[in-house]
Amino acid sequence: MVIHDPFGGGSIVVWGGISMDGCMELNPIGRGTMNAQRYRDEVLALVVVPYGDAIGEDFIFIHDNA
């Protein structure tokens, strides 16, 4: 049996992180293709940098290159 969504389905892109202090909230990313500029502007600048500032000098960012 093949199940097909006649309305084309949908998708959502979210970004999240984990740290020694626990998991970060999932952050929805707007529609469209993720590229380097969007990643810099919408993920790094709005989510990672403020989180790193809150952690302080011990913050180390490691990206999994997904």
Side-chain angles (χ1 to χ4, degrees):
M1 176 179 194
V2 176
I3 298 174
H4 177 74
D5 182 355
F7 301 105
S11 66
I12 184 170
V13 176
V14 295
W15 188 92
I18 57 172
S19 73
M20 302 250 330
D21 295 326
C23 295
M24 297 175 66
E25 291 184 19
L26 291 178
N27 293 278
I29 306 297
R31 303 189 107 186
T33 302
M34 178 61 69
N35 58 29
Q37 182 177 349
R38 287 192 67 202
Y39 182 72
R40 180 195 67 203
D41 296 344
E42 298 177 31
V43 176
L44 295 179
L46 297 178
V47 180
V48 176
V49 171
Y51 185 77
D53 288 345
I55 299 296
E57 291 184 17
D58 292 333
F59 179 74
I60 299 172
F61 178 67
I62 301 174
H63 184 265
D64 70 358
N65 203 23

